[in-house]
Amino acid sequence: MGVGEDFQKFRDTYQITSELITSISYRYKRITRQLNTDFWSTNSDTAHSLYVGSYGRDTAAKGLSDLDIGFILPNAVYHQYNGHQGNGQSALLQAVKRSMQKTYPTSEISGDGQVVVISFNDNLTFEVLPAFENHNSDSWTYPNANNGGSWKVCNPRAEIAAINTRNSLTNRNLKYLSRMMRIWARQCAVPISGMLIDTLAYQFIEAYQYRDKSFLYHDFMARDFFDYLAKQDQNKTAWRAPGSGSHVHRAGLFECKARSAYLRATEAIQYNDDNHEWSRRQKWRDVFGSLYPG
């Protein structure tokens, strides 16, 4: 089996399984239906709700541990809690939490910071962001209960749209690259967030020479992206997110581990050139772990 077939098989193993997608959809709809019942007086299990985060951008990979949902609330609710005495943002999160407890009374649910978190016994966590649509914009206003309470603005729709557009222009390689890098980050304990992976992959692939090639070029794409990561300025603390322009902050120094991965990828490609199939695969497994074909 050649390197292109190996990376295609790797794709099949790092994708989220259909069973998990079904489970996520079931929980998403139950949560959405309850929130709609309590805040919109409708029992729709899809209205006013949107997958956001990596799952919403479709860049999540196998091993997903948390899933983000944005739920749009009526503007009257904003005015109710904006005029609340004390920390209205915290009170709003508690109201959303109480609604979700009606559906999942035995699950652990917390409502602090900016989201309501529900943890399931299969180690998957849902984070629900209550939000309000801003006029004349795709952006949302959402509560921040920290430091006495405030309102913040985000635009996950713009981020999803930007990723989708560039992905369609790169033969879907942007999302493949983002998912592969999540596997690497998890396998090698790299201190880099999924959002920063997506942001840097988005920038990298725009002018990349093999951006629209087949799986046969995924070894080059991975190697060259590791090189791109390794050359980032270690003093830089934040980058601009695709679409929204929001700040994406550094979680730690990832450049050294990217350089190590680049060197292993370079060795793997050399093994391929020398027709050493077993050694090539072992080197890629050093980078991506056992999900890569052995």
Side-chain angles (χ1 to χ4, degrees):
M1 192 161 61
V3 66
E5 292 165 302
D6 276 357
F7 270 90
Q8 190 164 9
K9 188 174 180 181
F10 180 36
R11 185 275 313 268
D12 294 340
T13 60
Y14 64 63
Q15 301 274 53
I16 295 175
T17 65
S18 58
E19 290 81 6
L20 181 56
I21 291 172
T22 299
S23 173
I24 287 171
S25 176
Y26 173 76
R27 291 164 174 172
Y28 168 86
K29 289 182 176 179
R30 288 196 71 192
I31 292 170
T32 297
R33 182 185 296 114
Q34 187 61 57
L35 291 174
N36 270 321
T37 299
D38 290 338
F39 289 98
W40 288 97
S41 299
T42 169
N43 62 0
S44 170
D45 58 11
T46 57
H48 311 116
S49 190
L50 180 71
Y51 290 118
V52 295
S54 62
Y55 198 79
R57 294 190 299 276
D58 194 25
T59 55
K62 189 170 187 176
L64 174 75
S65 59
D66 54 70
L67 187 138
D68 302 307
I69 298 173
F71 185 81
I72 304 297
L73 293 166
N75 283 336
V77 175
Y78 169 82
H79 294 294
Q80 175 187 347
Y81 285 95
N82 190 43
H84 188 276
Q85 286 191 340
N87 192 327
Q89 291 79 9
S90 178
L92 171 57
L93 290 173
Q94 294 305 312
V96 172
K97 173 186 170 182
R98 286 193 295 273
S99 175
M100 291 168 56
Q101 283 176 325
K102 295 176 184 176
T103 300
Y104 289 106
T106 61
S107 297
E108 181 181 347
I109 302 179
S110 60
D112 298 313
Q114 299 161 352
V115 294
V116 178
V117 180
I118 177 168
S119 300
F120 294 98
N121 56 15
D122 60 357
N123 296 321
L124 187 61
T125 296
F126 278 49
E127 297 187 358
V128 178
L129 176 75
F132 305 94
E133 288 189 301
N134 294 323
H135 293 299
N136 303 320
S137 171
D138 282 339
S139 66
W140 296 346
T141 291
Y142 65 95
N144 172 31
N146 297 316
N147 301 317
S150 62
W151 300 104
K152 291 193 169 188
V153 175
C154 64
N155 196 341
R157 287 171 175 156
E159 293 164 2
I160 291 170
I163 292 287
N164 284 340
T165 297
R166 186 150 299 174
N167 190 58
S168 67
L169 295 172
T170 58
N171 193 24
R172 296 183 286 179
N173 282 325
L174 172 55
K175 293 185 180 180
Y176 291 145
L177 179 61
S178 292
R179 293 172 190 145
M180 281 195 288
M181 291 303 121
R182 279 170 167 76
I183 301 300
W184 162 68
R186 193 175 303 123
Q187 168 68 18
C188 298
V190 183
I192 186 170
S193 69
M195 188 65 210
L196 187 52
I197 287 174
D198 291 353
T199 297
L200 293 173
Y202 178 87
Q203 295 174 4
F204 162 80
I205 209 166
E206 180 180 17
Y208 182 54
Q209 61 179 327
Y210 304 131
R211 60 187 176 278
D212 58 351
K213 300 300 183 185
S214 69
F215 288 99
L216 186 61
Y217 287 79
H218 277 205
D219 55 347
F220 290 172
M221 184 169 70
R223 177 200 61 189
D224 296 340
F225 185 62
F226 287 134
D227 187 45
Y228 180 79
L229 289 179
K231 290 177 178 174
Q232 295 297 307
D233 180 357
Q234 295 189 13
N235 295 315
K236 189 169 183 175
T237 59
W239 290 257
R240 292 286 188 178
S244 69
S246 298
H247 285 100
V248 183
H249 294 278
R250 174 192 290 278
L253 290 176
F254 55 81
E255 287 84 354
C256 291
K257 291 200 172 184
R259 177 58 61 201
S260 176
Y262 167 78
L263 294 174
R264 291 175 179 177
T266 300
E267 289 182 68
I269 291 169
Q270 185 60 53
Y271 281 131
N272 185 60
D273 292 343
D274 296 338
N275 295 316
H276 295 157
E277 182 175 314
W278 184 87
S279 298
R280 180 194 78 211
R281 287 178 174 166
Q282 296 312 303
K283 196 56 64 175
W284 281 120
R285 285 167 73 92
D286 287 346
V287 176
F288 294 121
S290 59
L291 289 180
Y292 192 85

